[in-house]
PDB file of all heavy atoms in Angstrom:
ATOM      1  N   MET M 244    -102.912 125.435 174.936  1.00  0.00           N
ATOM      2  CA  MET M 244    -102.350 124.669 176.051  1.00  0.00           C
ATOM      3  C   MET M 244    -101.002 124.100 175.637  1.00  0.00           C
ATOM      4  O   MET M 244    -100.833 123.664 174.513  1.00  0.00           O
ATOM      5  CB  MET M 244    -103.286 123.522 176.450  1.00  0.00           C
ATOM      6  CG  MET M 244    -102.761 122.664 177.582  1.00  0.00           C
ATOM      7  SD  MET M 244    -103.945 121.380 178.051  1.00  0.00           S
ATOM      8  CE  MET M 244    -105.255 122.411 178.691  1.00  0.00           C
ATOM      9  N   PRO M 245    -100.004 124.079 176.540  1.00  0.00           N
ATOM     10  CA  PRO M 245     -98.718 123.501 176.197  1.00  0.00           C
ATOM     11  C   PRO M 245     -98.865 122.063 175.725  1.00  0.00           C
ATOM     12  O   PRO M 245     -99.708 121.311 176.222  1.00  0.00           O
ATOM     13  CB  PRO M 245     -97.948 123.573 177.529  1.00  0.00           C
ATOM     14  CG  PRO M 245     -98.606 124.670 178.285  1.00  0.00           C
ATOM     15  CD  PRO M 245    -100.048 124.618 177.896  1.00  0.00           C
ATOM     16  N   THR M 246     -98.067 121.683 174.757  1.00  0.00           N
ATOM     17  CA  THR M 246     -98.165 120.327 174.214  1.00  0.00           C
ATOM     18  C   THR M 246     -97.403 119.322 175.055  1.00  0.00           C
ATOM     19  O   THR M 246     -97.340 118.152 174.707  1.00  0.00           O
ATOM     20  CB  THR M 246     -97.603 120.305 172.788  1.00  0.00           C
ATOM     21  OG1 THR M 246     -96.241 120.764 172.803  1.00  0.00           O
ATOM     22  CG2 THR M 246     -98.420 121.193 171.864  1.00  0.00           C
ATOM     23  N   VAL M 247     -96.837 119.766 176.186  1.00  0.00           N
ATOM     24  CA  VAL M 247     -95.991 118.892 176.995  1.00  0.00           C
ATOM     25  C   VAL M 247     -96.726 117.633 177.436  1.00  0.00           C
ATOM     26  O   VAL M 247     -96.136 116.577 177.611  1.00  0.00           O
ATOM     27  CB  VAL M 247     -95.441 119.652 178.220  1.00  0.00           C
ATOM     28  CG1 VAL M 247     -96.551 120.042 179.173  1.00  0.00           C
ATOM     29  CG2 VAL M 247     -94.386 118.849 178.944  1.00  0.00           C
ATOM     30  N   CYS M 248     -98.055 117.730 177.624  1.00  0.00           N
ATOM     31  CA  CYS M 248     -98.812 116.572 178.077  1.00  0.00           C
ATOM     32  C   CYS M 248     -99.598 115.902 176.953  1.00  0.00           C
ATOM     33  O   CYS M 248    -100.403 115.015 177.212  1.00  0.00           O
ATOM     34  CB  CYS M 248     -99.768 116.975 179.207  1.00  0.00           C
ATOM     35  SG  CYS M 248     -98.923 117.383 180.742  1.00  0.00           S
ATOM     36  N   ALA M 249     -99.382 116.344 175.712  1.00  0.00           N
ATOM     37  CA  ALA M 249    -100.143 115.781 174.607  1.00  0.00           C
ATOM     38  C   ALA M 249     -99.946 114.276 174.526  1.00  0.00           C
ATOM     39  O   ALA M 249     -98.839 113.769 174.664  1.00  0.00           O
ATOM     40  CB  ALA M 249     -99.709 116.434 173.300  1.00  0.00           C
ATOM     41  N   GLN M 250    -101.062 113.579 174.317  1.00  0.00           N
ATOM     42  CA  GLN M 250    -101.120 112.125 174.179  1.00  0.00           C
ATOM     43  C   GLN M 250    -100.806 111.382 175.474  1.00  0.00           C
ATOM     44  O   GLN M 250    -101.028 110.188 175.566  1.00  0.00           O
ATOM     45  CB  GLN M 250    -100.169 111.644 173.072  1.00  0.00           C
ATOM     46  CG  GLN M 250    -100.532 112.211 171.707  1.00  0.00           C
ATOM     47  CD  GLN M 250     -99.598 111.722 170.621  1.00  0.00           C
ATOM     48  OE1 GLN M 250     -98.709 110.909 170.859  1.00  0.00           O
ATOM     49  NE2 GLN M 250     -99.800 112.228 169.427  1.00  0.00           N
ATOM     50  N   MET M 251    -100.332 112.056 176.470  1.00  0.00           N
ATOM     51  CA  MET M 251    -100.112 111.471 177.793  1.00  0.00           C
ATOM     52  C   MET M 251     -99.361 110.147 177.741  1.00  0.00           C
ATOM     53  O   MET M 251     -99.802 109.134 178.283  1.00  0.00           O
ATOM     54  CB  MET M 251    -101.456 111.289 178.505  1.00  0.00           C
ATOM     55  CG  MET M 251    -102.140 112.589 178.853  1.00  0.00           C
ATOM     56  SD  MET M 251    -101.062 113.764 179.702  1.00  0.00           S
ATOM     57  CE  MET M 251    -100.636 112.822 181.152  1.00  0.00           C
ATOM     58  N   LYS M 252     -98.242 110.162 177.082  1.00  0.00           N
ATOM     59  CA  LYS M 252     -97.371 108.988 177.051  1.00  0.00           C
ATOM     60  C   LYS M 252     -95.941 109.419 177.339  1.00  0.00           C
ATOM     61  O   LYS M 252     -95.460 110.401 176.796  1.00  0.00           O
ATOM     62  CB  LYS M 252     -97.445 108.283 175.689  1.00  0.00           C
ATOM     63  CG  LYS M 252     -98.783 107.616 175.411  1.00  0.00           C
ATOM     64  CD  LYS M 252     -98.754 106.850 174.098  1.00  0.00           C
ATOM     65  CE  LYS M 252    -100.085 106.146 173.851  1.00  0.00           C
ATOM     66  NZ  LYS M 252    -100.082 105.385 172.578  1.00  0.00           N
ATOM     67  N   GLY M 253     -95.301 108.659 178.201  1.00  0.00           N
ATOM     68  CA  GLY M 253     -93.908 108.934 178.518  1.00  0.00           C
ATOM     69  C   GLY M 253     -93.688 110.197 179.315  1.00  0.00           C
ATOM     70  O   GLY M 253     -92.589 110.760 179.288  1.00  0.00           O
ATOM     71  N   LYS M 254     -94.704 110.655 180.064  1.00  0.00           N
ATOM     72  CA  LYS M 254     -94.593 111.886 180.855  1.00  0.00           C
ATOM     73  C   LYS M 254     -94.354 111.563 182.326  1.00  0.00           C
ATOM     74  O   LYS M 254     -94.658 110.467 182.806  1.00  0.00           O
ATOM     75  CB  LYS M 254     -95.870 112.725 180.724  1.00  0.00           C
ATOM     76  CG  LYS M 254     -96.299 112.999 179.295  1.00  0.00           C
ATOM     77  CD  LYS M 254     -95.246 113.735 178.503  1.00  0.00           C
ATOM     78  CE  LYS M 254     -95.721 114.004 177.082  1.00  0.00           C
ATOM     79  NZ  LYS M 254     -94.693 114.664 176.259  1.00  0.00           N
ATOM     80  N   ASN M 255     -93.800 112.523 183.033  1.00  0.00           N
ATOM     81  CA  ASN M 255     -93.645 112.441 184.484  1.00  0.00           C
ATOM     82  C   ASN M 255     -94.752 113.269 185.130  1.00  0.00           C
ATOM     83  O   ASN M 255     -94.776 114.494 184.979  1.00  0.00           O
ATOM     84  CB  ASN M 255     -92.286 112.977 184.926  1.00  0.00           C
ATOM     85  CG  ASN M 255     -91.136 112.069 184.545  1.00  0.00           C
ATOM     86  OD1 ASN M 255     -91.325 110.886 184.291  1.00  0.00           O
ATOM     87  ND2 ASN M 255     -89.933 112.616 184.498  1.00  0.00           N
ATOM     88  N   ILE M 256     -95.656 112.597 185.827  1.00  0.00           N
ATOM     89  CA  ILE M 256     -96.819 113.264 186.416  1.00  0.00           C
ATOM     90  C   ILE M 256     -96.805 113.073 187.930  1.00  0.00           C
ATOM     91  O   ILE M 256     -96.630 111.957 188.425  1.00  0.00           O
ATOM     92  CB  ILE M 256     -98.139 112.694 185.855  1.00  0.00           C
ATOM     93  CG1 ILE M 256     -98.117 112.661 184.323  1.00  0.00           C
ATOM     94  CG2 ILE M 256     -99.326 113.502 186.376  1.00  0.00           C
ATOM     95  CD1 ILE M 256     -98.022 114.011 183.670  1.00  0.00           C
ATOM     96  N   VAL M 257     -97.018 114.158 188.652  1.00  0.00           N
ATOM     97  CA  VAL M 257     -97.134 114.109 190.108  1.00  0.00           C
ATOM     98  C   VAL M 257     -98.590 114.340 190.478  1.00  0.00           C
ATOM     99  O   VAL M 257     -99.219 115.303 190.024  1.00  0.00           O
ATOM    100  CB  VAL M 257     -96.249 115.178 190.779  1.00  0.00           C
ATOM    101  CG1 VAL M 257     -96.484 115.190 192.289  1.00  0.00           C
ATOM    102  CG2 VAL M 257     -94.778 114.924 190.475  1.00  0.00           C
ATOM    103  N   VAL M 258     -99.151 113.436 191.281  1.00  0.00           N
ATOM    104  CA  VAL M 258    -100.530 113.564 191.747  1.00  0.00           C
ATOM    105  C   VAL M 258    -100.510 113.726 193.264  1.00  0.00           C
ATOM    106  O   VAL M 258    -100.210 112.778 193.996  1.00  0.00           O
ATOM    107  CB  VAL M 258    -101.387 112.340 191.352  1.00  0.00           C
ATOM    108  CG1 VAL M 258    -102.827 112.542 191.821  1.00  0.00           C
ATOM    109  CG2 VAL M 258    -101.344 112.108 189.844  1.00  0.00           C
ATOM    110  N   VAL M 259    -100.800 114.920 193.730  1.00  0.00           N
ATOM    111  CA  VAL M 259    -100.880 115.187 195.168  1.00  0.00           C
ATOM    112  C   VAL M 259    -102.272 114.792 195.632  1.00  0.00           C
ATOM    113  O   VAL M 259    -103.270 115.257 195.083  1.00  0.00           O
ATOM    114  CB  VAL M 259    -100.606 116.666 195.476  1.00  0.00           C
ATOM    115  CG1 VAL M 259    -100.606 116.896 196.990  1.00  0.00           C
ATOM    116  CG2 VAL M 259     -99.283 117.122 194.864  1.00  0.00           C
ATOM    117  N   GLY M 260    -102.339 113.919 196.630  1.00  0.00           N
ATOM    118  CA  GLY M 260    -103.615 113.343 197.018  1.00  0.00           C
ATOM    119  C   GLY M 260    -103.914 112.120 196.169  1.00  0.00           C
ATOM    120  O   GLY M 260    -105.078 111.787 195.923  1.00  0.00           O
ATOM    121  N   GLY M 261    -102.867 111.433 195.743  1.00  0.00           N
ATOM    122  CA  GLY M 261    -103.019 110.303 194.840  1.00  0.00           C
ATOM    123  C   GLY M 261    -103.235 108.966 195.514  1.00  0.00           C
ATOM    124  O   GLY M 261    -103.209 107.933 194.836  1.00  0.00           O
ATOM    125  N   THR M 262    -103.449 108.957 196.820  1.00  0.00           N
ATOM    126  CA  THR M 262    -103.638 107.681 197.519  1.00  0.00           C
ATOM    127  C   THR M 262    -105.092 107.242 197.584  1.00  0.00           C
ATOM    128  O   THR M 262    -105.384 106.101 197.942  1.00  0.00           O
ATOM    129  CB  THR M 262    -103.074 107.757 198.957  1.00  0.00           C
ATOM    130  OG1 THR M 262    -103.652 108.876 199.636  1.00  0.00           O
ATOM    131  CG2 THR M 262    -101.560 107.902 198.930  1.00  0.00           C
ATOM    132  N   SER M 263    -106.032 108.139 197.246  1.00  0.00           N
ATOM    133  CA  SER M 263    -107.449 107.768 197.311  1.00  0.00           C
ATOM    134  C   SER M 263    -108.268 108.684 196.417  1.00  0.00           C
ATOM    135  O   SER M 263    -107.763 109.685 195.895  1.00  0.00           O
ATOM    136  CB  SER M 263    -107.974 107.846 198.759  1.00  0.00           C
ATOM    137  OG  SER M 263    -107.881 109.170 199.251  1.00  0.00           O
ATOM    138  N   GLY M 264    -109.545 108.331 196.243  1.00  0.00           N
ATOM    139  CA  GLY M 264    -110.485 109.187 195.539  1.00  0.00           C
ATOM    140  C   GLY M 264    -110.099 109.504 194.109  1.00  0.00           C
ATOM    141  O   GLY M 264    -109.582 108.668 193.366  1.00  0.00           O
ATOM    142  N   ILE M 265    -110.366 110.747 193.714  1.00  0.00           N
ATOM    143  CA  ILE M 265    -110.084 111.202 192.352  1.00  0.00           C
ATOM    144  C   ILE M 265    -108.605 111.058 192.025  1.00  0.00           C
ATOM    145  O   ILE M 265    -108.236 110.613 190.931  1.00  0.00           O
ATOM    146  CB  ILE M 265    -110.533 112.667 192.181  1.00  0.00           C
ATOM    147  CG1 ILE M 265    -112.052 112.776 192.279  1.00  0.00           C
ATOM    148  CG2 ILE M 265    -110.042 113.234 190.854  1.00  0.00           C
ATOM    149  CD1 ILE M 265    -112.559 114.204 192.366  1.00  0.00           C
ATOM    150  N   GLY M 266    -107.755 111.427 192.967  1.00  0.00           N
ATOM    151  CA  GLY M 266    -106.320 111.361 192.728  1.00  0.00           C
ATOM    152  C   GLY M 266    -105.843 109.950 192.428  1.00  0.00           C
ATOM    153  O   GLY M 266    -105.035 109.734 191.511  1.00  0.00           O
ATOM    154  N   ARG M 267    -106.349 108.977 193.194  1.00  0.00           N
ATOM    155  CA  ARG M 267    -105.930 107.591 192.954  1.00  0.00           C
ATOM    156  C   ARG M 267    -106.466 107.076 191.621  1.00  0.00           C
ATOM    157  O   ARG M 267    -105.746 106.386 190.881  1.00  0.00           O
ATOM    158  CB  ARG M 267    -106.409 106.697 194.098  1.00  0.00           C
ATOM    159  CG  ARG M 267    -105.958 105.230 193.972  1.00  0.00           C
ATOM    160  CD  ARG M 267    -104.418 105.109 193.889  1.00  0.00           C
ATOM    161  NE  ARG M 267    -103.979 103.745 193.767  1.00  0.00           N
ATOM    162  CZ  ARG M 267    -103.590 102.982 194.801  1.00  0.00           C
ATOM    163  NH1 ARG M 267    -103.617 103.483 196.031  1.00  0.00           N
ATOM    164  NH2 ARG M 267    -103.195 101.751 194.624  1.00  0.00           N
ATOM    165  N   SER M 268    -107.715 107.408 191.294  1.00  0.00           N
ATOM    166  CA  SER M 268    -108.274 106.991 190.006  1.00  0.00           C
ATOM    167  C   SER M 268    -107.461 107.570 188.853  1.00  0.00           C
ATOM    168  O   SER M 268    -107.182 106.886 187.859  1.00  0.00           O
ATOM    169  CB  SER M 268    -109.734 107.440 189.886  1.00  0.00           C
ATOM    170  OG  SER M 268    -110.560 106.743 190.797  1.00  0.00           O
ATOM    171  N   LEU M 269    -107.079 108.828 188.977  1.00  0.00           N
ATOM    172  CA  LEU M 269    -106.271 109.463 187.935  1.00  0.00           C
ATOM    173  C   LEU M 269    -104.917 108.780 187.804  1.00  0.00           C
ATOM    174  O   LEU M 269    -104.459 108.487 186.692  1.00  0.00           O
ATOM    175  CB  LEU M 269    -106.083 110.941 188.257  1.00  0.00           C
ATOM    176  CG  LEU M 269    -105.172 111.714 187.297  1.00  0.00           C
ATOM    177  CD1 LEU M 269    -105.778 111.759 185.899  1.00  0.00           C
ATOM    178  CD2 LEU M 269    -104.901 113.111 187.828  1.00  0.00           C
ATOM    179  N   ALA M 270    -104.279 108.514 188.938  1.00  0.00           N
ATOM    180  CA  ALA M 270    -102.968 107.860 188.912  1.00  0.00           C
ATOM    181  C   ALA M 270    -103.044 106.496 188.234  1.00  0.00           C
ATOM    182  O   ALA M 270    -102.159 106.135 187.438  1.00  0.00           O
ATOM    183  CB  ALA M 270    -102.425 107.730 190.336  1.00  0.00           C
ATOM    184  N   GLU M 271    -104.096 105.740 188.531  1.00  0.00           N
ATOM    185  CA  GLU M 271    -104.253 104.408 187.935  1.00  0.00           C
ATOM    186  C   GLU M 271    -104.448 104.488 186.417  1.00  0.00           C
ATOM    187  O   GLU M 271    -103.987 103.614 185.678  1.00  0.00           O
ATOM    188  CB  GLU M 271    -105.458 103.690 188.572  1.00  0.00           C
ATOM    189  CG  GLU M 271    -105.311 103.385 190.061  1.00  0.00           C
ATOM    190  CD  GLU M 271    -104.363 102.224 190.329  1.00  0.00           C
ATOM    191  OE1 GLU M 271    -103.940 101.564 189.372  1.00  0.00           O
ATOM    192  OE2 GLU M 271    -104.053 101.998 191.521  1.00  0.00           O
ATOM    193  N   GLN M 272    -105.125 105.527 185.957  1.00  0.00           N
ATOM    194  CA  GLN M 272    -105.351 105.665 184.522  1.00  0.00           C
ATOM    195  C   GLN M 272    -104.112 106.144 183.773  1.00  0.00           C
ATOM    196  O   GLN M 272    -103.926 105.829 182.603  1.00  0.00           O
ATOM    197  CB  GLN M 272    -106.523 106.619 184.271  1.00  0.00           C
ATOM    198  CG  GLN M 272    -107.860 106.053 184.726  1.00  0.00           C
ATOM    199  CD  GLN M 272    -109.036 106.943 184.373  1.00  0.00           C
ATOM    200  OE1 GLN M 272    -109.002 107.674 183.392  1.00  0.00           O
ATOM    201  NE2 GLN M 272    -110.089 106.885 185.182  1.00  0.00           N
ATOM    202  N   LEU M 273    -103.275 106.902 184.443  1.00  0.00           N
ATOM    203  CA  LEU M 273    -102.083 107.443 183.795  1.00  0.00           C
ATOM    204  C   LEU M 273    -100.887 106.496 183.818  1.00  0.00           C
ATOM    205  O   LEU M 273    -100.041 106.527 182.916  1.00  0.00           O
ATOM    206  CB  LEU M 273    -101.675 108.757 184.472  1.00  0.00           C
ATOM    207  CG  LEU M 273    -102.595 109.958 184.284  1.00  0.00           C
ATOM    208  CD1 LEU M 273    -102.108 111.119 185.146  1.00  0.00           C
ATOM    209  CD2 LEU M 273    -102.639 110.383 182.821  1.00  0.00           C
ATOM    210  N   VAL M 274    -100.791 105.668 184.851  1.00  0.00           N
ATOM    211  CA  VAL M 274     -99.558 104.923 185.101  1.00  0.00           C
ATOM    212  C   VAL M 274     -99.202 103.878 184.045  1.00  0.00           C
ATOM    213  O   VAL M 274     -98.006 103.575 183.887  1.00  0.00           O
ATOM    214  CB  VAL M 274     -99.595 104.298 186.519  1.00  0.00           C
ATOM    215  CG1 VAL M 274    -100.500 103.071 186.565  1.00  0.00           C
ATOM    216  CG2 VAL M 274     -98.187 103.970 187.010  1.00  0.00           C
ATOM    217  N   PRO M 275    -100.130 103.323 183.269  1.00  0.00           N
ATOM    218  CA  PRO M 275     -99.698 102.353 182.260  1.00  0.00           C
ATOM    219  C   PRO M 275     -98.748 102.928 181.213  1.00  0.00           C
ATOM    220  O   PRO M 275     -97.892 102.212 180.677  1.00  0.00           O
ATOM    221  CB  PRO M 275    -101.019 101.905 181.615  1.00  0.00           C
ATOM    222  CG  PRO M 275    -102.046 102.106 182.674  1.00  0.00           C
ATOM    223  CD  PRO M 275    -101.611 103.363 183.367  1.00  0.00           C
ATOM    224  N   HIS M 276     -98.870 104.230 180.918  1.00  0.00           N
ATOM    225  CA  HIS M 276     -98.063 104.815 179.846  1.00  0.00           C
ATOM    226  C   HIS M 276     -97.211 105.999 180.307  1.00  0.00           C
ATOM    227  O   HIS M 276     -96.571 106.660 179.485  1.00  0.00           O
ATOM    228  CB  HIS M 276     -98.967 105.277 178.706  1.00  0.00           C
ATOM    229  CG  HIS M 276     -99.807 104.178 178.126  1.00  0.00           C
ATOM    230  ND1 HIS M 276     -99.270 103.122 177.418  1.00  0.00           N
ATOM    231  CD2 HIS M 276    -101.150 103.958 178.185  1.00  0.00           C
ATOM    232  CE1 HIS M 276    -100.236 102.301 177.044  1.00  0.00           C
ATOM    233  NE2 HIS M 276    -101.387 102.778 177.505  1.00  0.00           N
ATOM    234  N   ASN M 277     -97.204 106.274 181.602  1.00  0.00           N
ATOM    235  CA  ASN M 277     -96.458 107.416 182.131  1.00  0.00           C
ATOM    236  C   ASN M 277     -95.806 107.059 183.449  1.00  0.00           C
ATOM    237  O   ASN M 277     -96.210 106.101 184.110  1.00  0.00           O
ATOM    238  CB  ASN M 277     -97.401 108.610 182.353  1.00  0.00           C
ATOM    239  CG  ASN M 277     -98.116 109.048 181.099  1.00  0.00           C
ATOM    240  OD1 ASN M 277     -97.593 109.804 180.299  1.00  0.00           O
ATOM    241  ND2 ASN M 277     -99.343 108.550 180.918  1.00  0.00           N
ATOM    242  N   ARG M 278     -94.811 107.827 183.837  1.00  0.00           N
ATOM    243  CA  ARG M 278     -94.223 107.708 185.160  1.00  0.00           C
ATOM    244  C   ARG M 278     -95.082 108.552 186.102  1.00  0.00           C
ATOM    245  O   ARG M 278     -95.193 109.774 185.934  1.00  0.00           O
ATOM    246  CB  ARG M 278     -92.781 108.229 185.144  1.00  0.00           C
ATOM    247  CG  ARG M 278     -92.125 108.379 186.507  1.00  0.00           C
ATOM    248  CD  ARG M 278     -91.852 107.063 187.162  1.00  0.00           C
ATOM    249  NE  ARG M 278     -90.970 107.205 188.318  1.00  0.00           N
ATOM    250  CZ  ARG M 278     -90.944 106.395 189.339  1.00  0.00           C
ATOM    251  NH1 ARG M 278     -91.758 105.344 189.367  1.00  0.00           N
ATOM    252  NH2 ARG M 278     -90.107 106.577 190.341  1.00  0.00           N
ATOM    253  N   VAL M 279     -95.751 107.907 187.059  1.00  0.00           N
ATOM    254  CA  VAL M 279     -96.679 108.598 187.942  1.00  0.00           C
ATOM    255  C   VAL M 279     -96.174 108.511 189.379  1.00  0.00           C
ATOM    256  O   VAL M 279     -95.931 107.416 189.903  1.00  0.00           O
ATOM    257  CB  VAL M 279     -98.103 108.016 187.841  1.00  0.00           C
ATOM    258  CG1 VAL M 279     -99.043 108.736 188.802  1.00  0.00           C
ATOM    259  CG2 VAL M 279     -98.615 108.126 186.413  1.00  0.00           C
ATOM    260  N   PHE M 280     -96.042 109.664 190.005  1.00  0.00           N
ATOM    261  CA  PHE M 280     -95.544 109.758 191.370  1.00  0.00           C
ATOM    262  C   PHE M 280     -96.651 110.346 192.232  1.00  0.00           C
ATOM    263  O   PHE M 280     -97.079 111.480 192.017  1.00  0.00           O
ATOM    264  CB  PHE M 280     -94.310 110.662 191.404  1.00  0.00           C
ATOM    265  CG  PHE M 280     -93.447 110.490 192.618  1.00  0.00           C
ATOM    266  CD1 PHE M 280     -92.459 109.512 192.655  1.00  0.00           C
ATOM    267  CD2 PHE M 280     -93.610 111.305 193.721  1.00  0.00           C
ATOM    268  CE1 PHE M 280     -91.651 109.361 193.769  1.00  0.00           C
ATOM    269  CE2 PHE M 280     -92.813 111.155 194.839  1.00  0.00           C
ATOM    270  CZ  PHE M 280     -91.826 110.175 194.864  1.00  0.00           C
ATOM    271  N   ILE M 281     -97.155 109.548 193.193  1.00  0.00           N
ATOM    272  CA  ILE M 281     -98.247 110.015 194.030  1.00  0.00           C
ATOM    273  C   ILE M 281     -97.711 110.487 195.384  1.00  0.00           C
ATOM    274  O   ILE M 281     -96.692 110.006 195.871  1.00  0.00           O
ATOM    275  CB  ILE M 281     -99.325 108.931 194.242  1.00  0.00           C
ATOM    276  CG1 ILE M 281     -98.780 107.748 195.040  1.00  0.00           C
ATOM    277  CG2 ILE M 281     -99.888 108.475 192.902  1.00  0.00           C
ATOM    278  CD1 ILE M 281     -99.854 106.733 195.434  1.00  0.00           C
ATOM    279  N   ILE M 282     -98.426 111.448 195.962  1.00  0.00           N
ATOM    280  CA  ILE M 282     -98.077 111.969 197.288  1.00  0.00           C
ATOM    281  C   ILE M 282     -99.340 111.930 198.141  1.00  0.00           C
ATOM    282  O   ILE M 282    -100.404 112.382 197.711  1.00  0.00           O
ATOM    283  CB  ILE M 282     -97.544 113.408 197.215  1.00  0.00           C
ATOM    284  CG1 ILE M 282     -96.316 113.487 196.311  1.00  0.00           C
ATOM    285  CG2 ILE M 282     -97.204 113.931 198.609  1.00  0.00           C
ATOM    286  CD1 ILE M 282     -95.820 114.903 196.072  1.00  0.00           C
ATOM    287  N   GLY M 283     -99.233 111.375 199.343  1.00  0.00           N
ATOM    288  CA  GLY M 283    -100.376 111.297 200.237  1.00  0.00           C
ATOM    289  C   GLY M 283     -99.944 110.931 201.635  1.00  0.00           C
ATOM    290  O   GLY M 283     -98.780 110.596 201.875  1.00  0.00           O
ATOM    291  N   ARG M 284    -100.898 110.987 202.561  1.00  0.00           N
ATOM    292  CA  ARG M 284    -100.576 110.713 203.959  1.00  0.00           C
ATOM    293  C   ARG M 284    -100.267 109.240 204.231  1.00  0.00           C
ATOM    294  O   ARG M 284     -99.449 108.919 205.074  1.00  0.00           O
ATOM    295  CB  ARG M 284    -101.747 111.130 204.859  1.00  0.00           C
ATOM    296  CG  ARG M 284    -101.875 112.630 205.090  1.00  0.00           C
ATOM    297  CD  ARG M 284    -102.924 112.886 206.162  1.00  0.00           C
ATOM    298  NE  ARG M 284    -103.026 114.297 206.486  1.00  0.00           N
ATOM    299  CZ  ARG M 284    -103.861 115.131 205.906  1.00  0.00           C
ATOM    300  NH1 ARG M 284    -104.650 114.682 204.947  1.00  0.00           N
ATOM    301  NH2 ARG M 284    -103.904 116.394 206.255  1.00  0.00           N
ATOM    302  N   SER M 285    -100.914 108.329 203.521  1.00  0.00           N
ATOM    303  CA  SER M 285    -100.812 106.906 203.831  1.00  0.00           C
ATOM    304  C   SER M 285     -99.574 106.271 203.207  1.00  0.00           C
ATOM    305  O   SER M 285     -99.503 106.086 201.991  1.00  0.00           O
ATOM    306  CB  SER M 285    -102.060 106.179 203.337  1.00  0.00           C
ATOM    307  OG  SER M 285    -101.917 104.786 203.473  1.00  0.00           O
ATOM    308  N   SER M 286     -98.625 105.911 204.036  1.00  0.00           N
ATOM    309  CA  SER M 286     -97.418 105.250 203.527  1.00  0.00           C
ATOM    310  C   SER M 286     -97.754 103.876 202.956  1.00  0.00           C
ATOM    311  O   SER M 286     -97.130 103.431 201.982  1.00  0.00           O
ATOM    312  CB  SER M 286     -96.373 105.126 204.640  1.00  0.00           C
ATOM    313  OG  SER M 286     -96.879 104.400 205.744  1.00  0.00           O
ATOM    314  N   ASP M 287     -98.751 103.202 203.544  1.00  0.00           N
ATOM    315  CA  ASP M 287     -99.147 101.883 203.039  1.00  0.00           C
ATOM    316  C   ASP M 287     -99.692 101.984 201.615  1.00  0.00           C
ATOM    317  O   ASP M 287     -99.371 101.158 200.754  1.00  0.00           O
ATOM    318  CB  ASP M 287    -100.202 101.250 203.952  1.00  0.00           C
ATOM    319  CG  ASP M 287     -99.637 100.827 205.298  1.00  0.00           C
ATOM    320  OD1 ASP M 287     -98.396 100.701 205.398  1.00  0.00           O
ATOM    321  OD2 ASP M 287    -100.428 100.634 206.242  1.00  0.00           O
ATOM    322  N   LYS M 288    -100.529 102.978 201.351  1.00  0.00           N
ATOM    323  CA  LYS M 288    -101.106 103.129 200.016  1.00  0.00           C
ATOM    324  C   LYS M 288    -100.065 103.569 199.000  1.00  0.00           C
ATOM    325  O   LYS M 288    -100.120 103.174 197.824  1.00  0.00           O
ATOM    326  CB  LYS M 288    -102.269 104.121 200.066  1.00  0.00           C
ATOM    327  CG  LYS M 288    -103.479 103.601 200.829  1.00  0.00           C
ATOM    328  CD  LYS M 288    -104.616 104.607 200.821  1.00  0.00           C
ATOM    329  CE  LYS M 288    -105.831 104.070 201.573  1.00  0.00           C
ATOM    330  NZ  LYS M 288    -106.955 105.040 201.594  1.00  0.00           N
TER     331      LYS M 288
END
């Protein structure tokens, strides 16, 4: 596997469907140490 995501720190990650469910949980876990950009229908979320 490419090492680009190794250790998951300082990476730019896009989560499509990141406003709820699995996507939101993933975004919350990644965002403390990475730049996380979520995409979803809800502008409020």
Side-chain angles (χ1 to χ4, degrees):
M244 179 177 294
T246 58
V247 66
C248 290
Q250 298 181 3
M251 293 310 300
K252 292 184 178 180
K254 308 301 181 183
N255 289 339
I256 310 296
V257 175
V258 182
V259 184
T262 54
S263 62
I265 293 170
R267 183 58 180 264
S268 292
L269 176 64
E271 296 285 352
Q272 292 185 29
L273 291 174
V274 76
H276 302 292
N277 302 276
R278 170 69 167 153
V279 179
F280 199 86
I281 66 172
I282 302 174
R284 284 189 176 92
S285 173
S286 58
D287 290 342
K288 291 181 179 179

